[in-house]
Amino acid sequence: MTVTTDKKSAEVTPAEDLITLTIDDVEVSVPKGTLVIRAAELIGVEVPRFCDHPLLDPVGACRQCLVDIPDAGNGRGMPKPQASCTLEVMPGMVVKTQVTSPVAEKAQNGNMEFLLINHPLDCPICDKGGECPLQNQAMSHGYAESRFTDVKRTFPKPINISAQVLLDRERCVLCARCTRFSEQIAGDPFIALIERGALQQVGIYENEPFESYFSGNTIQICPVGALTSAAYRFRSRPFDLVSTPSVAEHDACGSAVRVDHRRGTVMRRMAGNDPEVNEEWITDKDRFAFRYGRGEDRLTYPLVRDGDVLRPASWPEALQVAADGLRKAGESVGVLTGGRLTVQDAYGYSKFARAVLGTNNIDFRSRPHTAEEAEFLAHKVAGSAAKPGASPVTYADLESASGVLLVSFEAEEEAGSVFLRLRKAHRKSGLKSWTLAPYLSNGARKHGATLIKTVPGAEAATLNRLPAGVELDADSVILVGERAALSSGTLTAVLELSRSTGARIAWIPRRAGDRGAVEAGCLPNLLPGGRPVSDAAARVDLAGAWGIDEVPALAGRDTDEMLMSAADSELGALVVAGVDPGDLLDPRSALEGLEQVGFVVSIEQRASQVTERADVVLPVALNEERAGSFLTWEGRERPFGVVIKRDNAMTDLRVLAALADLLGKDLGVRSAAEADAELAELGPWDGHVAAAPAIEPVRASVPGTTTVVLATWRLAIDASRAVDNEPALLATGRKPVARLSTATAEAAGISDRVQIETDHGSLELPVELVPEMADGVVWVPTLAPGLGVAEHLAAAAGDVVRIAAVGSDSTGSPSGDSDAAEPAETVSTDDGQGA
């Protein structure tokens, strides 16, 4: 286990600030405040422990790490053995561990015997058996035989403390690791040690279920197997598993994971240890959502349309049909990619579009987006991490920042590891943060954010006139979410705020492949390495590197424009990879557009609404079956290797290379290594940077009595296809509700349930009143089981919708526009420790 350090603590400690003591007759000097157990580790002595964890506050609960202190530094010894995990070093202190002290050894052995009095000793059936600290230390620091002859304490087992986490109470040694993690790290103190004495146990609050996006970490750090996973329990033994390091694919954080597999099947995923990125924590989605490719919808062979039916076909036939269809379409073709692609795959699609199909019609943004966002990404994000002298924002910078401003970004929901760093910085150093939102979410409250009350659509006006008390400087950071694209002028205002204050900007998309897609040039106005399509020198540079005559000079169509062109029969063919129409603003219109395209090639892992409408379906390998890398929101490369080796696994790059060959062109890359080599040779663009967007704020909509502004964002665990085949994980998701201010609900006569309508459709949800919420706003989750804002309303954040109490007639219509919103109101929070 490793502790992360900020910039200040990483500096060399002056000699005068070091404390010298003696441990097991070895003199050692350590910084002031170091715990004895850490000092012992520096000289290679491992003191046994259960409750101690370097990322949790010391508590001294298990008493296993007892050491003898013959001299406390004042010439006097301590009369009894002391817990080394809570004892700070002192000048001249003398410490004797179990290595040199019979007193310490006897104390540790006695405590181990005490811990095992009621322990069931069910190692043969315990999931922790084979990797259990209690099992290991009982052998190394315990007695060979137990002297306890009475009946052991028993409890009914297991009990659910959540849908995903199961508790065997008789195994618990009351180390409090799980409760401390939940309270200190995740900020979800819904579990606690209850009762007293022999009845003490881990419990949950009666009216507060253990709802946490990080609950799986308690299973991993539990030292005795008391907490187990509903999905993994009794599935395998640790010594049966092969472990492979990898990277999580569900968000842009790039969290390190360890994939444990057996006989070609992934059995579980564990958090990897990466101090610079995710430390030792991952979200439950990263931990448990890996079975999405095991259902009956997994594509295992190519399909070719024969009339109204997709029939199985051989690879040569399917590739030939796909090539013939693309050749017939000529340059009237587009490429749509999604967030599942690695950097190498995204580069392959970008090169395939330009060098093979001869078009700039390519876009990775399979979600609501704008031209302003494309200009912002080309100007500020693309190529920024790799340029000489660049200083991209990192996780460490979040901990040392003077302040953090969140714009259209909910850290807990959209980037779990970012949330944990913000909360850590708030707890440890009092980090000040502010969030532009219609109300203070639970996640924002937990990392101590102050609310800048903002109606969706008015973010630009708010940024141009920030309230007093929001102080940004060169050590500050502005975190911008992908939802900022939906509010006209917001990204322009973010750039201006950065210029005026010196604060650095970090764009944090929701999906793992988005940052890499920007670098790879999967945008209609952007080429690989941050080269603007509009720059002739950039096009010549790229054409020379690729060995082609020219790169198309005109900016291409974005996702919406391609689908609109398809609906108007102006697009001859589409290549689609990793796109879920449900993520777009109007899924119904998107599907209609796909049906009107002359020819559709779907390169996908699972059957979907796109494959149903495709003329050729080409299956590709899952992430665990391929090698590649993701780029995190920092711009940090996160490579991963093959976990499950499949013979002749087809990756996106291999499929694209085969299509290029049949079209008479050479893609030049067939593997991740070849794509990396080309990207490295290209390097970042060192010419003129694309122009910054210059979009003025639009007039904000004024809500009425029954017309309100819609606020919405994706939840960390929702009804996305990524959690398919994971019922226990899906059951831990937050229950969907519609949030309204008290005044808005009273004005519309709404109490328990609300109906939300547009001309496209309607939704019905239970109501949760939020007193500090902006008036004239309704918040709903973007996606939940049976609920999709895009599918049912065809609306996005900032749009005007109608609300009514369920059972009454909804009246009113979207109101007219008015002047831009007034300066936002700020609402301070508590210290962020509560849930």
Side-chain angles (χ1 to χ4, degrees), residues 416-430:
S417 292
V418 173
F419 162 76
L420 292 182
R421 284 302 179 98
L422 292 175
R423 175 166 170 78
K424 177 183 177 182
H426 172 62
R427 288 189 66 248
K428 298 291 187 180
S429 57

Side-chain angles (χ1 to χ4, degrees), residues 333-576:
V333 64
V335 179
L336 300 179
T337 66
R340 71 167 173 83
L341 300 182
T342 63
V343 177
Q344 296 79 12
D345 289 336
Y347 175 71
Y349 281 100
S350 180
K351 187 175 182 181
F352 184 77
R354 274 89 183 206
V356 178
L357 300 179
T359 180
N360 284 319
N361 293 337
I362 181 170
D363 200 346
F364 75 91
R365 297 170 298 168
S366 55
R367 53 172 172 77
H369 54 275
T370 59
E372 181 187 11
E373 181 190 32
E375 295 175 3
F376 171 82
L377 295 176
H379 172 76
K380 186 64 181 178
V381 178
S384 60
K387 290 180 179 177
S391 180
V393 179
T394 65
Y395 284 100
D397 292 333
L398 297 182
E399 290 193 49
S400 60
S402 60
V404 175
L405 176 65
L406 287 73
V407 181
S408 301
F409 177 61
E410 285 294 327
E412 187 183 36
E413 306 289 356
E414 299 174 281
S417 292
V418 173
F419 162 76
L420 292 182
R421 284 302 179 98
L422 292 175
R423 175 166 170 78
K424 177 183 177 182
H426 172 62
R427 288 189 66 248
K428 298 291 187 180
S429 57
L431 172 68
K432 295 185 294 183
S433 61
W434 305 269
T435 179
L436 270 66
Y439 74 100
L440 194 67
S441 68
N442 190 38
R445 180 177 289 108
K446 286 187 288 189
H447 65 72
T450 296
L451 175 64
I452 304 176
K453 194 179 294 185
T454 308
V455 175
E459 287 85 356
T462 301
L463 289 169
N464 290 333
R465 290 178 285 180
L466 285 174
V470 181
E471 300 174 355
L472 301 178
D473 54 34
D475 293 325
S476 301
V477 174
I478 305 173
L479 299 181
V480 185
E482 64 182 32
R483 288 182 287 112
L486 302 180
S487 177
S488 182
T490 297
L491 295 172
T492 301
V494 165
L495 290 171
E496 179 56 37
L497 182 62
S498 174
R499 282 191 290 267
S500 63
T501 62
R504 290 186 290 165
I505 299 172
W507 177 70
I508 305 184
R510 188 176 57 85
R511 296 170 295 186
D514 286 0
R515 184 67 170 81
V518 174
E519 296 298 331
C522 290
L523 279 169
N525 64 327
L526 191 65
L527 302 172
R531 293 165 171 81
V533 167
S534 59
D535 192 315
R539 298 196 304 272
V540 171
D541 176 64
L542 192 62
W546 283 349
I548 60 177
D549 294 335
E550 62 178 358
V551 172
L554 295 178
R557 298 181 174 101
D558 65 18
T559 300
D560 290 340
E561 291 170 339
M562 279 187 265
L563 292 173
M564 289 174 61
S565 298
D568 295 337
S569 302
E570 295 179 2
L571 204 63
L574 267 179
V575 178
V576 187

Side-chain angles (χ1 to χ4, degrees), residues 815-828:
S815 59
D817 294 336
S818 72
D819 293 335
E822 292 299 316
E825 175 186 352
T826 60
V827 179
S828 296

Side-chain angles (χ1 to χ4, degrees), residues 33-182:
T34 301
L35 298 174
V36 169
I37 196 169
R38 302 280 176 267
E41 290 171 352
L42 294 176
I43 64 169
V45 175
E46 183 178 356
V47 181
R49 84 290 300 271
F50 295 113
C51 68
D52 174 69
H53 192 287
L55 299 178
L56 301 176
D57 294 345
V59 66
C62 72
R63 317 306 291 180
Q64 186 58 45
C65 64
L66 296 174
V67 294
D68 187 18
I69 311 293
D71 187 343
N74 56 5
R76 293 177 294 176
M78 294 187 177
K80 295 182 179 179
Q82 300 295 307
S84 59
C85 71
T86 59
L87 183 65
E88 292 187 1
V89 298
M90 298 296 290
M93 176 181 280
V94 177
V95 178
K96 298 285 187 179
T97 73
Q98 74 280 359
V99 176
T100 59
S101 171
V103 173
E105 183 181 21
K106 181 179 179 181
Q108 293 175 7
N109 291 348
N111 193 71
M112 179 63 69
E113 185 178 28
F114 173 74
L115 292 177
L116 293 176
I117 282 179
N118 281 303
H119 195 81
L121 300 177
D122 53 358
C123 300
I125 64 168
C126 177
D127 282 325
K128 202 77 171 182
E131 56 183 8
C132 176
L134 178 63
Q135 190 180 62
N136 297 338
Q137 291 175 179
M139 299 296 292
S140 61
H141 301 284
Y143 292 115
E145 296 181 4
S146 173
R147 295 179 291 175
F148 186 75
T149 59
D150 294 327
V151 177
K152 290 179 180 285
R153 179 187 61 189
T154 59
F155 292 102
K157 56 183 291 186
I159 61 171
N160 286 72
I161 61 175
S162 77
Q164 185 68 70
V165 182
L166 307 179
L167 170 65
D168 290 298
R169 288 171 287 178
E170 69 274 20
R171 294 178 186 168
C172 181
V173 295
L174 304 177
C175 70
R177 274 191 177 188
C178 58
T179 58
R180 284 183 292 149
F181 169 85
S182 299

Side-chain angles (χ1 to χ4, degrees), residues 612-625:
E612 291 173 0
R613 291 161 174 81
D615 295 281
V616 178
V617 179
L618 303 173
V620 290
L622 299 173
N623 276 19
E624 65 200 37
E625 301 165 352

Side-chain angles (χ1 to χ4, degrees), residues 251-280:
D251 59 28
C253 294
S255 298
V257 297
R258 191 190 83 202
V259 183
D260 292 345
H261 49 100
R262 182 183 65 179
R263 299 170 190 163
T265 301
V266 175
M267 304 304 296
R268 66 177 180 180
R269 290 209 292 210
M270 309 285 278
N273 181 10
D274 194 325
E276 293 185 353
V277 180
N278 59 298
E279 298 185 309
E280 297 182 28

